Amino acid sequence: MSRHSKPWVKAEQKLGFRAAGLPIGLGAAGTLCALLQAASAARLLAGVLHLGVGGWALAAAGAGFVAAALARAYLALLAERQNFELGAAARRRLRGQVLAALLGLGPAGLRGRHSGELAATAIDRVEAMDGFHARWIPATALAVIGPGLIGLVALHTDWRAGLVLIMAGLFVPFAMAVAGIGAARAARRQFLAMTRLQVRFLDRIRGIATIVLAGRAREEAAALRLAADELRLRTMRVLRVAFLSSTALDLAAAAAMILIVVRFLGVVRGDEALAPVALFMLLLVPEFFAPLRAFAAVYADRMAVEAVADEFAALPTLAPPAAPAEIRSVAAHGVLLSFDHVTYGWGEGKPVFERLSFRVGKGEILLLTGASGAGKSTIMDLVLGFLEPQAGKITVNGASLEALVPAARAKMIGWIGQKPVIFAGTIEENIRFGNPAASAAELEDAVRWAHLHELVNSLPQGLQTKVGEGGFGLSGGQAQRIAIARAFLKNAPLLLLDEPTAHLDPATERDVLESLRHLALGRTVVLATHSTMAMDFAKTVGARRVDLDALRYTSWRE
């Protein structure tokens, strides 16, 4: 665990203890029931062995044992349910934070991050936190409370035997700490091996056709097998180190049992009335070590947190906007998008564009042209909020883009890229992604204006036809029409089109542009393109143009 991740772990630990009050209290009540159960069991055994207990005392001991056992089982059931809820709530919170951070970074902020690595953070690493909140935090508190209560009772009953118990109990944390150092390192290596396997497997599944055509299937299968074997070996190392703490605990419990037996062996022979006391102290040994054993069983969960903490600590913290602004009368007066002397660059080199200024209002179309790398997609990312300008200001209806609440910004912007995202599901589900609450009539209009009705009518299941992940089963033009129908259904006043006709044949491009002509009516549109046909389309609708090649590294104002 690195230095910058320690505050994150401490914060999670503080949140966990704050939420775990009820299960910890239930566990402490269970410890009190265990004491009553041990005392009752000691008197029962003394009665069975004819060591001075009988009659009503024996019956009372039997009733006390049954009542304590039932109460203890019920408390354990309640605690287990509460622990599950703790883990589930923590996972929901953490997964929400991870997804919010990834969405806040956007495509620009996630460049260079493999999707398999991101999926491992959002799924596997979040799941690894379940044991920390559901088991380790309650077990940590009970590992102090339980032995503390039992140790006080043991000292009050027989101070010599109580001292033996406490000394044996103090040995356990030291042994676990020594084992924990190795367990933390092994857990980190295990998660690293698991992430590598996930990334490699996802890459190979995506490129399965290339692998088969290149005749590399056998070599790639062997490489995956080696990666899986590495994960198996690292997992076994984690388990091997974890067993060391369990062994130390068993040794401490055995030593305490032997010393207490030696302590009472001669005493009971001289006075049988002390038999219940001796039996009670012997029965306290497993009860004393039970919370410590439970803590040792979940100690690996704490090590798992140290292994994944760096990933969570590295995620950005999304601060709420300082002064949320309201978009005034967007539907009535449209959207005025303005760039005022905006500068943005990647890394330490020259900026992509410098002091860029333009304005585009309702019903206007702005055409962005320029060579690859001129900054067309960067402008789109700036408007979407995935990037922040290094200088200058972007405003919408006079309000700073950074001051808008994310929900308002997302509602007012429609976006169509060159490769639209199509999810596994039906065509209708993919279109309704833009507006799940849309009516059937609105859905039908969106399908018609996107020129998608011919495709839908030709399919036996129509809109209920299922498509594969990434639009598997659809052509590029069909996927683009679904994206246009989605934008129609969303009905956002500001429309961003980033190379919407790239990789389409001329006939399909012409149809898509005709759909975009209807979509652009009454909307503020920013269109980035290389296509000659798209440029001709922009001219016919009276679009203005910003040539980023001419503006690059220069100051320009409309």
Side-chain angles (χ1 to χ4, degrees), residues 30 32-46 48 56-74 279-280 283-284 286-287:
L32 295 177
C33 290
L35 287 169
L36 177 60
Q37 191 177 6
S40 301
R43 298 185 72 81
L44 280 174
L45 287 173
V48 170
W56 288 104
L58 189 61
F65 179 84
V66 173
L70 292 176
R72 188 179 182 186
Y74 180 67
L279 291 171
F280 176 60
L283 291 174
L284 284 186
E287 297 295 348

Side-chain angles (χ1 to χ4, degrees), residues 358-368 495 497 513 516-528 534-535 537-546 558:
F358 61 79
R359 283 176 174 80
V360 53
K362 179 190 175 184
E364 294 182 346
I365 297 178
L366 182 71
L367 184 67
L368 297 177
L495 185 62
L497 306 175
L513 288 173
L516 291 175
R517 182 192 302 273
H518 293 289
L519 180 61
L521 290 175
R523 292 181 171 86
T524 303
V525 180
V526 180
L527 169 62
M535 292 182 188
F537 155 77
K539 291 178 183 177
T540 63
V541 296
R544 290 181 297 151
R545 178 180 176 183
V546 173
E558 184 183 47

Side-chain angles (χ1 to χ4, degrees), residues 326-335 397:
E326 181 183 358
I327 300 299
R328 300 176 299 278
S329 305
V330 170
H333 304 294
V335 168
N397 285 0

Side-chain angles (χ1 to χ4, degrees), residues 12-310:
E12 282 295 310
Q13 191 167 315
K14 189 177 295 184
L15 284 174
F17 278 113
R18 195 179 303 158
L22 180 57
I24 291 173
L26 292 172
T31 300
L32 295 177
C33 290
L35 287 169
L36 177 60
Q37 191 177 6
S40 301
R43 298 185 72 81
L44 280 174
L45 287 173
V48 170
L49 297 174
H50 304 291
L51 295 176
V53 178
W56 288 104
L58 189 61
F65 179 84
V66 173
L70 292 176
R72 188 179 182 186
Y74 180 67
L75 291 171
L77 177 62
L78 292 179
E80 190 67 26
R81 288 179 177 175
Q82 289 297 319
N83 289 341
F84 175 81
E85 292 298 329
L86 282 177
R91 281 178 288 152
R92 284 194 297 268
R93 174 177 56 82
L94 287 168
R95 190 164 284 121
Q97 290 177 357
V98 171
L99 293 178
L102 296 182
L103 291 174
L105 288 171
L110 295 177
R111 285 173 183 167
R113 299 287 298 274
H114 197 282
S115 56
E117 179 186 351
L118 297 176
T121 300
I123 299 173
D124 295 320
R125 285 169 171 77
V126 170
E127 290 298 321
M129 293 295 297
D130 174 68
F132 180 75
H133 287 277
R135 296 184 292 273
W136 187 82
I137 285 178
T140 300
L142 293 175
V144 176
I145 296 172
L149 290 174
I150 295 172
L152 289 175
V153 172
L155 285 172
H156 177 73
T157 304
D158 185 88
W159 70 269
R160 294 180 182 84
L163 191 61
V164 168
L165 269 182
I166 292 173
M167 294 300 293
L170 291 176
F171 168 76
V172 175
F174 289 106
M176 292 179 65
V178 173
I181 296 173
R185 293 176 180 173
R188 280 195 296 271
R189 292 167 182 163
Q190 181 206 21
F191 272 100
L192 180 61
M194 182 168 60
T195 300
R196 287 174 178 170
L197 178 61
Q198 289 174 325
V199 169
R200 188 178 187 91
F201 184 75
L202 184 59
D203 269 344
R204 272 45 182 184
I205 289 296
R206 285 175 173 170
I208 190 69
T210 303
I211 292 172
V212 172
L213 291 175
R216 300 280 301 175
R218 182 170 297 178
E219 290 82 355
E220 290 299 329
L224 284 173
R225 184 170 60 251
L226 289 175
D229 284 340
E230 181 187 4
L231 176 60
R232 176 182 60 82
L233 291 173
R234 294 192 184 279
T235 302
M236 295 307 297
R237 285 172 188 165
V238 173
L239 295 175
R240 189 185 309 143
V241 175
F243 280 134
L244 293 177
S245 60
S246 178
T247 302
L249 193 147
D250 290 336
L251 289 174
M257 181 74 74
I258 292 171
L259 291 174
I260 291 175
V261 168
V262 172
R263 156 79 181 99
F264 284 103
L265 189 61
V267 175
V268 172
R269 288 177 179 174
D271 185 0
E272 290 186 354
L274 291 176
V277 175
L279 291 171
F280 176 60
M281 294 303 300
L282 287 174
L283 291 174
L284 284 186
V285 174
E287 297 295 348
F288 180 87
F289 285 96
L292 296 174
R293 194 178 301 278
F295 177 69
V298 299
Y299 194 63
D301 292 323
R302 178 64 171 81
M303 299 301 102
V305 170
E306 292 188 3
V308 304
D310 289 341

Side-chain angles (χ1 to χ4, degrees), residues 304-502:
V305 170
E306 292 188 3
V308 304
D310 289 341
E311 290 290 332
F312 288 112
L315 292 173
T317 302
L318 301 180
E326 181 183 358
I327 300 299
R328 300 176 299 278
S329 305
V330 170
H333 304 294
V335 168
L336 172 64
L337 175 66
S338 175
F339 271 53
D340 294 322
H341 298 87
V342 174
T343 298
Y344 190 85
W346 299 96
E348 301 296 330
K350 292 182 178 180
V352 179
F353 46 76
E354 189 174 5
R355 297 179 61 81
L356 174 63
S357 298
F358 61 79
R359 283 176 174 80
V360 53
K362 179 190 175 184
E364 294 182 346
I365 297 178
L366 182 71
L367 184 67
L368 297 177
T369 61
S372 296
K376 300 186 297 296
S377 296
T378 302
I379 290 175
M380 298 293 184
D381 287 338
L382 286 165
V383 178
L384 290 167
F386 296 144
L387 301 175
E388 293 184 3
Q390 295 169 345
K393 184 170 65 173
I394 304 172
T395 60
V396 177
N397 285 0
S400 174
L401 190 66
E402 291 80 6
L404 301 179
V405 291
R409 183 169 57 200
K411 187 176 181 180
M412 62 177 286
I413 298 177
W415 177 82
I416 300 176
Q418 54 184 296
K419 292 189 69 177
V421 176
I422 304 297
F423 301 98
T426 66
I427 294 177
E428 180 178 350
E429 288 171 345
N430 274 279
I431 297 175
R432 282 189 177 276
F433 196 80
N435 182 8
S439 65
E442 291 172 328
L443 177 65
E444 186 178 348
D445 289 341
V447 170
R448 184 177 69 255
W449 286 116
H451 291 186
L452 196 61
H453 54 285
E454 293 183 5
L455 170 65
V456 171
N457 293 335
S458 67
L459 298 172
Q461 294 179 295
L463 287 172
Q464 300 307 313
T465 302
K466 292 189 174 182
V467 295
E469 182 182 359
F472 182 78
L474 297 173
S475 67
Q478 291 167 346
Q480 202 68 287
R481 289 189 182 97
I482 290 177
I484 293 172
R486 185 187 293 166
F488 266 113
L489 205 61
K490 185 176 183 180
N491 196 25
L494 175 58
L495 185 62
L496 305 179
L497 306 175
D498 189 3
E499 301 281 2
T501 60

